[in-house]
Amino acid sequence: MPYDPTSQSNLNEVKTNHIHLTLVVDFATKTLAGSVNLEIEAIADNVATVVLDSSYINVRSVAAAGQALHFSLGKHHEKYGSALTIDLPTRLAKGQRTNVIVEYATTQDCTACQWLEPSQTVGKKHPYLFTQCQAIHARSLLPCQDSPSIKLTYSADITAPLRALMSAIPKDEQKHEDGTTTFKFEQRQRIPSYLFALAVGNLEGREIGPRSTVWTEPEVMDVAAWEFVDTENFIRIGEELLTPYDWGRYDLLVLPASFPYGGMENPCLTFVTPSLLAGDRSLVNVVAHEIAHSWMGNLVTTENWEHFWLNEGFTVFIERRIVGRILGKEHSEFSAILGYKGLQESVDHYGKDHRFTLLCPKLNGEGPDDAFSRVPYEKGFNFLYYLEKHLGGPEVFEPYLRAHVQQFAGRSINTDDWKEFLYSYMEKTFGQDKVDRLNQVDWAAWLTSPGM
């Protein structure tokens, strides 16, 4: 059964297979209003309720098969929001499915949405909206099972006065007499809720490769298109290292300056900061990182935020392998030196005995954002780099990385799953010698001990 201490959903009884969003973007009230239709499947017998994660959401009604359902919102938890409990009209047997439709609106307390005034954009003429759902902010955007253990497909109809983009493939546009447009999207690959993403603004796109478009405000288009021209090379090397790219499109959205991260790996539409527009392509390793997430994190996903290193440690490892193949081994090794320095700074910040310096920290009662640091990225990278050296080098480890993706693609896993397959692969492929080497690893020191 899935385990996630940061979700209040009944993950042990139901799972969401598909979500359809129908939302209207209102810049005047800074809200999104509409509905979410969740296809729910029982994974246990005799299921009487569906419990969804929500946070600062105004739930207006809940229905199934045209019938209004009783629902209640639990007391707001400082870290995890309010549990939305829905009473089903009939109990579900294991494997049985039903659709639950929640009419709702976001509020101005929504932690996933950043609403910008025109003055906060480059063009200064139009407002702008972008979302950030990682780690557990999707629940303020829509009622859902907000856990990376749940992977689902989604579709959406977004009505807005400016162009809308999502972490999905655009399918259609319908213009209305009031000047708004309904933008239709579809994500056929199963993703966790933290990869829901929406952006609305004065945006235009320019192709920079056979499967990539850069989107941005018109004023910075020429600079952005030039800066990210090597995107296809990054994807191609990722495919050579791992498996074919499964997401169809790899587009980039350059956001306004208030975007708080270097990049966010939203599938089909990576969000990046404009600070990457250095004019010399010296910071595009961030794009290599987000492309690596197409496999490590988006395709193979951490089961919960206690195992976040499975997303980020693997991604940093692949990022540096991609950069090394383009710019040379010295470049990737210098990046690793800088990363080690960042890890030391994070450990110093928390204190060498702090639980957040563990590679697999416990998060009961804690928010994942509070535990966010360089630790899962750089301690995770160094663990994998150590294992590669210990097991015999790239000729042993790179085929294993490909097998890791093939084994777990489309799934959410924890560290025990990872370790079990690592042992199995090494024994099956290389024999007892590699098992003996794995048995020499101090697993407790790496995974469950604090400090460096």
Side-chain angles (χ1 to χ4, degrees):
M1 288 291 182
Y3 164 73
D4 189 341
T6 69
S7 172
Q8 299 185 77
S9 173
N10 55 339
L11 300 171
N12 60 328
E13 293 187 309
V14 297
K15 66 175 182 178
T16 309
N17 290 322
H18 182 80
I19 278 177
H20 180 74
L21 281 167
T22 304
L23 294 174
V24 175
V25 179
D26 189 335
F27 280 101
T29 61
K30 294 182 171 59
T31 60
L32 304 170
S35 67
V36 56
N37 186 332
L38 304 99
E39 182 192 283
I40 300 291
E41 179 181 345
I43 58 173
D45 273 320
N46 204 31
V47 176
T49 61
V50 171
V51 184
L52 302 176
D53 293 300
S54 77
S55 182
Y56 299 116
I57 281 179
N58 179 14
V59 179
R60 295 170 175 169
S61 67
V62 182
Q67 177 183 348
L69 302 183
H70 178 266
F71 67 90
S72 61
L73 273 175
K75 182 180 178 181
H76 185 84
H77 186 285
E78 179 188 6
K79 306 287 187 180
Y80 306 145
S82 304
L84 172 61
T85 301
I86 300 165
D87 296 332
L88 295 172
T90 56
R91 293 175 181 266
L92 298 180
K94 186 176 181 179
Q96 193 172 358
R97 300 184 181 190
T98 189
N99 281 70
V100 174
I101 300 172
V102 182
E103 299 278 347
Y104 76 99
T106 62
T107 67
Q108 294 192 13
D109 294 316
C110 173
T111 57
C113 289
Q114 179 75 59
W115 300 87
L116 304 182
E117 299 296 333
S119 61
Q120 295 173 285
T121 67
V122 179
K124 311 296 184 186
K125 296 178 181 178
H126 302 280
Y128 200 111
L129 162 67
F130 68 84
T131 64
Q132 172 63 30
C133 288
Q134 193 181 43
I136 57 171
H137 300 285
R139 64 193 65 182
S140 72
L141 186 68
L142 70 155
C144 62
Q145 292 184 288
D146 194 11
S147 167
S149 66
I150 299 294
K151 301 187 79 170
L152 49 88
T153 57
Y154 85 90
S155 54
D157 297 340
I158 307 296
T159 301
L162 297 163
R163 175 163 295 281
L165 300 171
M166 293 194 79
S167 54
I169 302 295
K171 303 303 291 185
D172 194 18
E173 299 177 15
Q174 297 176 352
K175 296 187 180 299
H176 306 297
E177 291 183 0
D178 64 358
T180 63
T181 303
T182 297
F183 299 89
K184 296 179 177 291
F185 301 92
E186 187 174 38
Q187 179 53 265
R188 293 184 177 181
Q189 292 283 354
R190 292 166 57 237
I191 66 167
S193 56
Y194 74 84
L195 294 178
F196 283 119
L198 170 66
V200 181
N202 182 33
L203 299 168
E204 66 176 40
R206 183 181 300 177
E207 286 195 9
I208 55 171
R211 46 190 161 178
S212 298
T213 294
V214 62
W215 293 91
T216 187
E217 292 181 73
E219 293 81 3
V220 293
M221 175 55 74
D222 290 343
V223 175
W226 183 88
E227 199 80 27
F228 300 124
V229 73
D230 289 327
T231 298
E232 178 62 24
N233 286 337
F234 293 157
I235 302 171
R236 177 181 52 78
I237 293 171
E239 291 183 311
E240 291 173 0
L241 282 167
L242 301 169
T243 61
Y245 181 76
D246 264 353
W247 303 90
R249 298 291 303 175
Y250 183 85
D251 292 350
L252 289 155
L253 173 64
V254 182
L255 284 101
S258 61
F259 181 63
Y261 298 99
M264 178 62 208
E265 64 272 16
N266 301 311
C268 306
L269 185 71
T270 283
F271 285 15
V272 295
T273 171
S275 63
L276 300 187
L277 304 179
D280 59 3
R281 298 177 182 147
S282 61
L283 300 176
V284 294
N285 64 301
V286 172
V287 177
H289 180 90
E290 305 309 334
I291 285 172
H293 267 306
S294 301
W295 293 272
M296 306 303 190
N298 295 10
L299 203 59
V300 182
T301 306
T302 179
E303 182 181 82
N304 63 55
W305 301 108
E306 295 181 343
H307 304 275
F308 187 41
W309 83 274
L310 292 171
N311 282 13
E312 296 299 349
F314 273 85
T315 292
V316 172
F317 192 93
I318 296 300
E319 166 206 337
R320 289 179 179 148
R321 204 50 52 100
I322 291 172
V323 169
R325 293 210 176 177
I326 292 178
L327 299 176
K329 184 179 179 182
E330 294 84 359
H331 190 104
S332 64
E333 290 187 343
F334 188 70
S335 174
I337 292 169
L338 293 176
Y340 187 87
K341 182 175 183 291
L343 173 60
Q344 183 70 68
E345 289 170 351
S346 287
V347 171
D348 291 344
H349 168 75
Y350 284 122
K352 61 183 177 63
D353 296 322
H354 197 283
R355 64 189 182 283
F356 288 165
T357 65
L358 272 64
L359 202 53
C360 298
K362 296 299 181 184
L363 292 178
N364 294 82
E366 301 283 357
D369 290 342
D370 298 328
F372 184 86
S373 73
R374 299 308 302 171
V375 170
Y377 295 76
E378 298 297 345
K379 201 177 200 180
F381 164 80
N382 277 281
F383 188 20
L384 294 173
Y385 190 68
Y386 157 73
L387 287 172
E388 179 181 66
K389 296 284 189 183
H390 185 65
L391 290 167
E395 61 271 20
V396 172
F397 211 65
E398 288 186 0
Y400 154 71
L401 291 169
R402 185 180 303 113
H404 169 85
V405 174
Q406 292 169 337
Q407 173 73 13
F408 295 119
R411 292 172 55 186
S412 299
I413 65 170
N414 59 41
T415 300
D416 287 340
D417 298 325
W418 162 76
K419 183 181 173 184
E420 182 180 339
F421 177 70
L422 175 64
Y423 264 88
S424 171
Y425 174 84
M426 290 299 164
E427 181 178 27
K428 181 178 178 181
T429 308
F430 298 106
Q432 186 62 35
D433 172 65
K434 302 304 183 195
V435 174
D436 293 340
R437 286 177 176 266
L438 287 173
N439 287 335
Q440 296 168 3
V441 173
D442 189 342
W443 298 99
W446 279 105
L447 297 171
T448 56
S449 298
M452 294 293 286

